Amino acid sequence: MTPPMIQLDDLGVSFGKGTRRFDAVRNVTLDIAEGEAFGLVGESGSGKSTVLNAIAGLIGSYSGAIRIDGAPAGPQRTGAQRRLLQMVLQDPYGSLHPRHTIDKILSEPLLIQRLDGIERRVEHALADVGLKPEHRFRFPHQLSGGQRQRVAIARAIILEPRILLLDEPTSALDVSVQAEVLNLLRRLRRERRFTTVMVSHNLAVVAYMCDRVAVMSRGRILETGSSAELAKGGFSHPYSRQLWNASSGYNRDLLKELWDDA
Amino acid sequence: MSAPDWLLTEAPASRRQASLGRWYRNWLVFRRNPLAMIGLAIVALLIVTAVLAPVLPLQSPTAQALSQRLAPPGAQHWLGTDELGRDILARIIFGARITLGIVLMVVAIVVPLGLLIGTISGYIGGALDVVLMRITDIFLAFPRLILALAFVAAIKPGLESAIIAIALTSWPPYARIARAETLTVRNADYVKVAKLQGASWLRIIWHYIVPLCSTSVVVRMTLDMAGIILTAAGLGFLGLGAQPPTPEWGAMISTGRDFLLDQWWVATIPGIAIFAVSLGFNLLGDGLRDVLDPKRT
């Protein structure tokens, strides 16, 4: 059997020291298979983005182990290890450098990784995400939010990674644009077969995008299950049910059964 | 397609067109500010006359004519002559070369140094940040002219020492600005993505942080040029800058002081030149600040 693409073993991340210590992530153990689409849901501050950042190697100190493609992957990684994994962030306004043209934004990863055929790869990546050649020499402020997010996706896939991390890729976008971007991500996943880990607080988006879902609260994974179960509201933990009920709209009766582990 | 259309297009066809277009847009904003245009005109005039000084029909700035000493402004000497009968107009224009040279040399030393120290300090942080910023504080705590005086006195009076002394005392504000700007962008998402792509810290500083710091540094630079001219003039006035017979503006005021009551032009005219050029650089800096503000997209 091939080893899981991403393996988290008893991952813990804490910020601060002593009495001001805050445990953002506690005892997270996860196996994500190659080609799988995995979702992490939970409220703000539940630690889901921290898990993603730890997988990406952006967190300096943690406990437990992270293995990617069978190899231990800490914060110090080689160029090849970096190339294996790319990320699309939430805010398309903050994730593109305001003084770089789209051309420069897309060439940078290729220059950093010392790849050849930059012209061809940039043109190809633009076409892949549905941008036109005339967008190439514009600055980010000359593009719409949806177009910027497409640029961010193009920047992530231009290195041909095997893992794509998605940190709420659509929550900063208009509802009409969200669907376009989600469909683009689904199409790219089908074509390129990469492993994806998606973080979101939107259950509908996660159910649509992912095969398997984990529910997180206060730094722990409460429950893991298939997204089909999630879509039916079939999760058993009270917090998961609460999250599911909350997503279906405001209902005063829900307050009576509010679950809180504090 | 006309030239402005080519520059203002929303769909530039090449890297060069995109960056020229951005410059042109900035220029359109800059042009709307009349005071900034006056500043630009003064600075442009200074640069042009300084460059063309040897080919202009001027008298020699160092040729003495004792029979015509202290002549008032008139047809033969437009701005009069000094105590050795040298033409003041020629000395002012040749002096502009020296002033401009000092300013450019100081800026060429100070801006890269300040940017380097500030961005590294802000980006790396930790103990290095503390050490670099305390060094900056020490330099910042000295009064500028006094430190320059001490330095020149310790080496030997002359133009080169003056340039080094002024540079030594004017880099800390640049380091401070660069550090502050770095702190605001070091945790930005695009820096995070660059790290993910495997960019080295040098590359992140040079390609991601410096372009965002450089606008405030450029503005600070034009505002500082006036101060550099005054410091250079101050050193010249005290006899520690350019040495005679070099026509440096501060030194000219210094010698003219002896005749201030009877022959006002000898000291006043270089004074007016210093004033006009300082004002020009300040107005230019103000205009640039409006145009280059990173918050304006």
Side-chain angles (χ1 to χ4, degrees):
Chain A
M1 205 188 109
T2 53
M5 195 66 188
I6 301 171
Q7 223 175 346
L8 303 181
D9 188 17
D10 197 24
L11 180 73
V13 180
S14 60
F15 301 108
K17 280 188 185 126
T19 53
R20 303 184 64 184
R21 180 182 155 110
F22 171 69
D23 291 304
V25 173
R26 285 179 277 194
N27 313 108
V28 167
T29 299
L30 262 183
D31 281 352
I32 299 171
E34 173 145 34
E36 189 176 19
F38 192 85
L40 275 172
V41 293
E43 65 201 359
S44 307
S46 60
K48 52 193 190 323
S49 292
T50 310
V51 170
L52 210 61
N53 284 336
I55 296 173
L58 292 172
I59 288 179
S61 70
Y62 54 86
S63 60
I66 303 171
R67 296 172 78 81
I68 289 171
D69 200 20
Q76 301 293 327
R77 296 187 184 180
T78 63
Q81 275 181 309
R82 294 259 177 224
R83 199 183 156 188
L84 201 62
L85 171 154
Q86 288 296 309
M87 195 163 176
V88 177
L89 299 171
Q90 175 176 12
D91 176 18
Y93 291 85
S95 74
L96 305 181
H97 195 288
R99 292 290 160 94
H100 288 176
T101 59
I102 308 309
D103 177 61
K104 165 100 172 154
I105 289 169
L106 296 181
S107 320
E108 273 287 301
L110 300 171
L111 290 168
I112 291 169
Q113 291 284 345
R114 300 200 176 82
L115 300 182
D116 50 5
I118 289 181
E119 281 291 304
R120 181 178 50 83
R121 286 175 199 258
V122 169
E123 280 167 22
H124 203 77
L126 277 175
D128 251 3
V129 298
L131 289 171
K132 298 193 182 73
E134 71 234 37
H135 292 121
R136 180 167 170 188
F137 296 103
R138 291 193 195 175
F139 287 93
H141 68 259
Q142 292 170 308
L143 300 180
S144 70
Q147 287 171 330
R148 287 177 191 220
Q149 198 60 317
R150 284 169 192 270
V151 173
I153 293 169
R155 174 177 60 185
I157 62 168
I158 202 164
L159 287 177
E160 296 164 8
R162 288 166 64 198
I163 303 171
L164 192 62
L165 304 180
L166 305 166
D167 190 356
E168 310 234 18
T170 56
S171 60
L173 301 175
D174 252 16
V175 180
S176 58
V177 183
Q178 279 187 13
E180 285 176 27
V181 171
L182 288 177
N183 286 331
L184 168 67
L185 285 169
R186 262 176 80 111
R187 196 196 83 217
L188 289 171
R189 200 167 81 77
R190 206 169 51 236
E191 288 170 5
R192 302 183 171 224
R193 314 220 150 271
F194 30 54
T195 312
T196 57
V197 183
M198 180 175 191
V199 157
S200 181
H201 56 254
N202 187 331
L203 296 189
V205 166
V206 170
Y208 179 66
M209 292 291 294
C210 302
D211 309 326
R212 210 152 58 93
V213 181
V215 179
M216 281 191 81
S217 174
R218 294 170 195 266
R220 295 176 197 278
I221 290 189
L222 299 179
E223 197 171 4
T224 311
S226 76
S227 62
E229 274 176 75
L230 178 77
K232 290 200 302 264
F235 275 37
S236 55
H237 195 282
Y239 178 76
S240 317
R241 300 198 58 80
Q242 198 175 303
L243 207 62
W244 190 77
N245 287 330
S247 69
S248 54
Y250 179 70
N251 182 350
R252 198 177 170 87
D253 293 336
L254 291 178
L255 282 175
K256 289 178 198 152
E257 43 190 277
L258 193 68
W259 177 85
D260 197 341
D261 75 345
Chain B
M1 202 194 278
S2 69
D5 286 344
W6 184 80
L7 286 165
L8 290 176
T9 175
E10 278 292 312
S14 70
R15 232 156 282 172
R16 203 168 58 93
Q17 189 183 358
S19 65
L20 285 177
R22 201 158 65 87
W23 282 101
Y24 184 65
R25 269 170 236 261
N26 284 343
W27 165 244
L28 290 183
V29 176
F30 185 84
R31 211 171 56 175
R32 284 204 299 268
N33 182 346
L35 278 177
M37 288 302 283
I38 293 174
L40 181 68
I42 294 174
V43 172
L45 187 72
L46 174 77
I47 293 172
V48 169
T49 48
V51 169
L52 295 181
V55 295
L56 290 177
L58 292 168
Q59 298 166 36
S60 159
T62 50
Q64 302 181 6
L66 290 178
S67 59
Q68 294 182 44
R69 68 191 294 267
L70 298 173
Q76 203 189 345
H77 300 287
W78 289 2
L79 297 177
T81 60
D82 65 5
E83 79 283 3
L84 295 173
R86 296 173 295 197
D87 184 53
I88 290 182
L89 178 64
R91 286 179 71 75
I92 291 282
I93 289 177
F94 277 91
R97 292 172 75 99
I98 290 161
T99 303
L100 209 60
I102 293 176
V103 167
L104 289 181
M105 287 300 291
V106 169
V107 163
I109 297 171
V110 157
V111 170
L113 187 71
L115 262 179
L116 191 75
I117 291 178
T119 49
I120 289 180
S121 176
Y123 184 72
I124 308 268
L128 186 69
D129 182 31
V130 173
V131 171
L132 286 177
M133 280 303 113
R134 290 303 80 76
I135 294 174
T136 311
D137 280 345
I138 291 170
F139 276 95
L140 211 53
F142 279 108
R144 198 168 164 177
L145 193 59
I146 307 289
L147 187 60
L149 271 178
F151 184 81
V152 175
I155 318 283
K156 66 171 177 43
L159 261 184
E160 296 82 7
S161 326
I163 289 168
I164 296 171
I166 298 169
L168 205 62
T169 54
S170 42
W171 66 266
Y174 293 90
R176 276 303 177 84
I177 293 176
R179 177 174 174 270
E181 295 273 340
T182 307
L183 289 181
T184 63
V185 297
R186 62 176 285 199
N187 291 321
D189 280 351
Y190 43 81
V191 173
K192 188 171 160 181
V193 171
K195 280 186 205 159
L196 268 181
Q197 292 162 352
S200 63
W201 61 272
L202 261 176
R203 186 179 188 95
I204 290 179
I205 287 181
W206 181 245
H207 283 267
Y208 293 80
I209 292 176
V210 166
L212 293 175
C213 298
S214 56
T215 50
S216 22
V217 166
V218 165
V219 169
R220 167 84 205 198
M221 189 181 88
T222 49
L223 293 177
D224 235 21
M225 282 178 171
I228 295 171
I229 292 172
L230 291 179
T231 313
L235 286 176
F237 181 81
L238 295 167
L240 296 171
Q243 297 300 301
T246 320
E248 200 272 325
W249 293 349
M252 288 167 73
I253 296 182
S254 175
T255 53
R257 192 181 41 160
D258 300 341
F259 322 100
L260 193 57
L261 289 182
D262 300 317
Q263 285 87 24
W264 57 268
W265 58 90
V266 184
T268 309
I269 284 166
I272 292 173
I274 293 173
F275 166 74
V277 172
S278 303
L279 184 73
F281 275 117
N282 269 327
L283 293 177
L284 180 68
D286 265 348
L288 281 180
R289 180 167 55 203
D290 294 342
V291 172
L292 296 178
D293 182 5
K295 276 125 216 143
R296 195 189 65 84
T297 46

